C-alpha cells in the first residue's frame, strides 16, 4: 500500500511540475504577444491557456497533499 501511494505521489508531483512549466510558458508567450502588438486583446487565448495550466497545477498539488496525508495516517 505504501509503495503504491508513493508511486501515486511521484506521478502527481510530476504532473504538478509539468502544469507549472506549461503555465509559465503560456505566461511568457502572453507577455511576448503584448510587447510585440502593444495590445492586450490579442493575448486572450494564451491567458486562458495560462489560467487552465495553473488551475491544473493547483488540482495536482491538492491531490499530492491528500496522498501525503493518507501516507501519514497509514504509517501510524
Amino acid at each position: 500500500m505504501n509503495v503504491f501511494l508513493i508511486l501515486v505521489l511521484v506521478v502527481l508531483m510530476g504532473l504538478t511540475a509539468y502544469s507549472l512549466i506549461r503555465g509559465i510558458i503560456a505566461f511568457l508567450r502572453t507577455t511576448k504577444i503584448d510587447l510585440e502588438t502593444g495590445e492586450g486583446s490579442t493575448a486572450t487565448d494564451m491567458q486562458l491557456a495560462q489560467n487552465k495550466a495553473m488551475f491544473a497545477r493547483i488540482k495536482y498539488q491538492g491531490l499530492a497533499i491528500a496522498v501525503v496525508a493518507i501516507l501519514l495516517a497509514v504509517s501510524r
Side-chain angles (χ1 to χ4, degrees):
M1 176 83 169
N2 283 347
V3 173
F4 173 72
L5 289 174
I6 291 172
L7 289 175
V8 170
L9 180 62
V10 169
V11 169
L12 288 171
M13 290 168 50
L15 289 170
T16 301
Y18 177 73
S19 297
L20 176 65
I21 291 169
R22 283 186 53 111
I24 290 172
I25 289 171
F27 174 74
L28 292 174
R29 286 184 183 166
T30 300
T31 305
K32 183 179 178 183
I33 291 170
D34 285 343
L35 289 174
E36 289 175 352
T37 62
E39 298 177 11
S41 62
T42 59
T44 56
D45 291 338
M46 292 310 299
Q47 289 170 344
L48 291 174
Q50 175 189 355
N51 190 16
K52 186 175 179 181
M54 289 301 140
F55 184 75
R57 178 189 59 86
I58 292 169
K59 177 178 60 177
Y60 294 134
Q61 276 182 320
L63 290 171
I65 290 170
V67 170
V68 169
I70 292 170
L71 274 171
L72 288 172
V74 169
S75 68
R76 288 189 172 190

